[in-house]
Amino acid sequence: MHPRYMHGAATSPEVKVYAYAAAQVKKALEVTHYLGGENYVFWGGREGYQTLLNTDMKRELEHLANFLQAAVNHKKKIGFNGTLLIEPKPQEPTKHQYDWDVATTFSFLQKFGLTGEFKINVECNHATLSGHSCHHELETARINDILGNIDANTGDPQVGWDTDEFLTDISEATLIMSSVVKNDGLAPGGFNFDAKLRRESTDVEDLFIAHISGMDTMARGLRNVAKLIEDGSLDELVRKRYQSFDTEIGAMIEAGKGDFETLEKKVLEWGEPTVPSGKQELAEMLFQSAL
């Protein structure tokens, strides 16, 4: 919010602002370490641009990478063993934020050799803003081994900004908890209520109701995941859908040994493939039956 960061912090075109941001993060990391913190989240709300006409994107991205590497170096220097996380968001307050979504952020980390140093803090409302579901963002982080923390909130798909509402959708909570279970948990991360009351909710009890409802929603989601796992029908549906890759030729492809010449010979031998149903309606029914 400070005017010095109107053009960004690590991506500011002014070197004095970059240095000021570095000094602030240095102090914040040291205080986190002193207090026994286990996680430190970077949210680059102004690490982006309003227009490319006055922006050197390549230079700004390189500056951001150097800033994050310096944070890693200082973390190690002071002996802080906590997790560093990046929280993606596509826009607001900038028109375009460089850590648009999980996939974009992972690509950035790969390009600059930072994948082993950072994990992702997924905020569900930010997923909505980027055009994804929270489940999509969680799965993208999970399969790339960078899921570290969740801002457990939700947004309104009918509005184009960050509403930070408490999570109350049991279906969404079940999908979220499914990713968490598949990830073997989030430790040392966890769930953070980056949420607030509606402006019209003015009674003191509303604050308690909101938090209780949010926690109960996640608990119900976890119970539903347990039902789905114990039943096993949805997992079996997914397994059967890919069972052709459990064959010898499928295993060869998944091992990276499926050359085009071999596959061409197989096609001539097999002829036109028979493509089975995706069974989406059945998958949806099995999922809903657990709610």
Side-chain angles (χ1 to χ4, degrees):
M1 293 174 63
H2 198 283
R4 81 170 67 89
Y5 297 124
M6 62 190 293
H7 302 305
T11 59
S12 173
E14 174 54 57
V15 70
K16 293 179 181 178
V17 174
Y18 182 102
Y20 204 109
Q24 282 194 304
V25 171
K26 173 181 178 293
K27 177 60 70 175
L29 281 169
E30 291 166 355
V31 171
T32 301
H33 180 43
Y34 177 78
L35 294 174
E38 295 182 327
N39 298 275
Y40 187 92
V41 179
F42 289 84
W43 175 68
R46 290 195 176 274
E47 309 296 22
Y49 61 80
Q50 302 293 5
T51 176
L52 284 172
L53 293 174
N54 63 359
T55 302
D56 187 334
M57 187 193 296
K58 181 176 183 293
R59 205 170 185 182
E60 289 195 1
L61 286 168
E62 289 172 348
H63 290 174
L64 178 58
N66 290 336
F67 189 96
L68 294 175
Q69 182 61 63
V72 170
N73 295 343
H74 190 66
K75 164 195 166 178
K76 294 177 179 178
K77 182 177 181 180
I78 64 176
F80 174 49
N81 295 318
T83 304
L84 301 180
L85 302 111
I86 295 176
E87 181 179 325
K89 187 179 182 182
Q91 55 209 178
E92 188 197 357
T94 55
K95 181 170 72 174
H96 178 91
Q97 197 166 303
Y98 290 134
D99 53 355
W100 180 275
D101 58 8
V102 172
T104 304
T105 306
F106 182 57
S107 177
F108 170 86
L109 294 173
Q110 283 183 311
K111 176 178 172 62
F112 292 104
L114 293 166
T115 49
E117 305 293 350
F118 287 87
K119 287 188 178 293
I120 298 292
N121 177 56
V122 173
E123 176 171 328
C124 291
N125 201 165
H126 293 177
T128 305
L129 295 178
S130 66
H132 303 305
S133 67
C134 188
H135 190 215
H136 168 89
E137 289 290 83
L138 291 171
E139 284 296 280
T140 303
R142 181 185 70 80
I143 65 176
N144 288 296
D145 197 29
I146 53 172
L147 177 57
N149 198 70
I150 297 174
D151 276 7
N153 64 10
T154 191
D156 191 322
Q158 290 184 282
V159 298
W161 59 86
D162 216 356
T163 55
D164 288 336
E165 300 175 42
F166 282 85
L167 183 62
T168 55
D169 187 325
I170 305 296
S171 175
E172 184 178 16
T174 303
L175 292 170
I176 289 170
M177 284 301 187
S178 173
S179 291
V180 173
V181 170
K182 290 176 181 176
N183 197 60
D184 293 329
L186 296 169
F191 291 96
N192 170 50
F193 275 139
D194 186 2
K196 57 183 179 289
L197 298 179
R198 302 303 89 196
R199 291 182 178 181
E200 300 80 9
S201 300
T202 55
D203 292 339
V204 173
E205 72 171 6
D206 294 336
L207 189 63
F208 293 88
I209 291 169
H211 281 82
I212 292 167
S213 176
M215 287 185 282
D216 283 355
T217 298
M218 288 191 290
R220 287 170 179 152
L222 184 58
R223 287 178 181 270
N224 291 339
V225 172
K227 290 180 189 176
L228 288 167
I229 293 173
E230 289 167 2
D231 176 72
S233 298
L234 187 56
D235 287 338
E236 180 63 13
L237 183 150
V238 175
R239 187 197 68 77
K240 284 184 177 179
R241 189 168 182 229
Y242 294 91
Q243 66 184 356
S244 68
F245 278 89
D246 296 329
T247 60
E248 183 180 353
I249 189 69
M252 182 189 301
I253 292 171
E254 292 189 335
K257 298 177 181 178
D259 63 89
F260 282 1
E261 289 79 6
T262 301
L263 296 177
E264 182 186 41
K265 291 177 182 177
K266 283 293 182 180
V267 168
L268 295 172
E269 175 188 331
W270 291 334
E272 183 64 30
T274 301
V275 183
S277 168
K279 294 294 183 184
Q280 180 176 335
E281 291 74 19
L282 177 59
E284 291 168 343
M285 185 187 76
L286 292 171
F287 176 78
Q288 292 294 332
S289 67
L291 304 185

